[in-house]
Amino acid sequence: MSATSQPASSNATPRAKKITAPYLRALKAKGEKIVMLTAYDAAFAGQCEAAGVDVVLVGDSLGMVVQGHSSTLPVTLDETVYHCKAVARGLNCALLLADLPFMTFRDADTALRSSARLLAEGGAAMVKVEGADYVLDVIHALERHEVPVCAHLGLTPQSVHKFGGYRVQGRDESAAERLVRDAHAVQDAGASMLVLECVPATLAKRITGELTIPTIGIGAGVDCDGQVLVIYDMLGISPGKRVRFSKDFLVGTGSVRGAIEAYAQAVRSGAFPTAEHSF
Ligand code: KIV
């Protein structure tokens, strides 16, 4: 059996075609949810692929859950390329999305060089950048050079020192209006997708309704076009207290593959997240 074949008992839908940015936009148009998970090596990537995950993210969360740092800031571009290469070997159809680490997209030229490595060496098909403001020029430059971009707004972990901790964003009216403006701005700059992290569910719903690109929520309620979790959080093996927006899908499923399938099914049916996982 290959890493991507389906056992008879699997609930996952076997896929024959590569998942692409236009396909993800079509899913939004059809009202079908997008399933995203992080992975950092070929074995977990293979499990995601086999369970029918649409997008596999090599997130800079690897700094915290793999390397044991207290933030994502120490992650380097070399390390991200290394993990991308490993994940790419475990994938067949799922889209490989890679984070641009802290300061590797500080201007358009640096972002183009960094992204070239993630796509050409790492095998990624899309890169993710945190923030708006100067990042709008970066998104525009990448898009003009044929690099699909996923924007990331709300709790952007690379801004942890500016925020003073990992806090829910967009709670008051002016912060919420700013987030709505930023969401439109990243779309207008050419982003193909938008991750919304730790924002009130009602705000994420509004942004999702107003944008034409898919939104992917993490701690952003059930009304986003898709969901993402850090894989070690949803397997209950991340160190420390469980984060509110995650759920241990290993409980009651008994295997990594079963847990990922249960997560994918819960996202697609709208059963996850519930109010308990939202703000
Ligand atoms: O780095 C990461 O894993 C992420 C997700 C939490 C969205 O950015």
Side-chain angles (χ1 to χ4, degrees):
M1 184 184 294
S2 81
T4 55
S5 59
Q6 308 290 316
S9 62
S10 172
N11 293 323
T13 316
R15 290 163 308 174
K17 276 197 181 164
K18 287 258 183 218
I19 308 284
T20 61
Y23 176 80
L24 295 174
R25 200 185 271 238
L27 286 184
K28 174 176 175 118
K30 285 193 282 185
E32 289 180 27
K33 297 280 188 188
I34 297 164
V35 179
M36 190 191 296
L37 262 185
T38 69
Y40 316 99
D41 65 29
F44 278 105
Q47 295 289 307
C48 290
E49 176 74 49
V53 171
D54 299 309
V55 181
V56 175
L57 166 66
V58 177
D60 58 4
S61 52
L62 79 89
M64 299 174 83
V65 297
V66 176
Q67 299 173 335
H69 294 295
S70 58
S71 80
T72 61
L73 303 187
V75 175
T76 67
L77 185 62
D78 281 345
E79 288 163 351
T80 309
V81 170
Y82 169 88
H83 285 280
C84 269
K85 284 180 179 174
V87 167
R89 290 183 202 112
L91 297 184
N92 185 23
C93 295
L95 185 145
L96 174 47
L97 170 64
D99 254 337
L100 278 167
F102 184 55
M103 287 294 161
T104 66
F105 57 100
R106 58 186 173 267
D107 53 56
D109 190 47
T110 311
L112 287 168
R113 287 174 202 278
S114 306
S115 303
R117 290 200 57 202
L118 292 174
L119 268 64
E121 293 175 47
M126 189 184 288
V127 298
K128 180 161 79 59
V129 289
E130 295 185 8
D133 302 317
Y134 78 89
V135 181
L136 299 174
D137 288 340
V138 167
I139 295 172
H140 186 58
L142 290 169
E143 195 271 336
R144 278 188 53 227
H145 289 82
E146 322 300 343
V147 179
V149 183
C150 177
H152 183 161
L153 296 174
L155 199 188
T156 44
Q158 292 175 14
S159 313
V160 61
H161 295 307
K162 188 170 141 195
F163 291 153
Y166 296 101
R167 302 182 204 295
V168 177
Q169 301 296 307
R171 279 208 195 265
D172 63 55
E173 205 183 317
S174 69
E177 289 306 323
R178 175 151 194 210
L179 254 174
V180 173
R181 279 200 305 277
D182 285 349
H184 280 279
V186 295
Q187 174 174 278
D188 294 347
S192 298
M193 197 154 65
L194 168 62
V195 166
L196 289 170
E197 179 164 354
C198 290
V199 302
T202 49
L203 177 60
K205 181 178 181 176
R206 174 177 164 198
I207 292 171
T208 301
E210 290 186 14
L211 296 192
T212 55
I213 58 171
T215 61
I216 308 293
I218 172 164
V222 72
D223 292 306
C224 293
D225 298 306
Q227 298 292 329
V228 59
L229 285 178
V230 169
I231 194 161
Y232 297 161
D233 287 349
M234 58 78 74
L235 295 174
I237 59 169
S238 292
K241 214 172 122 225
R242 178 180 75 78
V243 283
R244 170 170 171 166
F245 51 78
S246 190
K247 176 180 168 181
D248 184 348
F249 282 90
L250 198 54
V251 172
T253 50
S255 69
V256 169
R257 170 74 176 274
I260 300 173
E261 284 182 0
Y263 164 71
Q265 199 183 17
V267 170
R268 291 198 172 106
S269 69
F272 177 84
T274 65
E276 183 198 336
H277 312 107
S278 309
F279 301 100

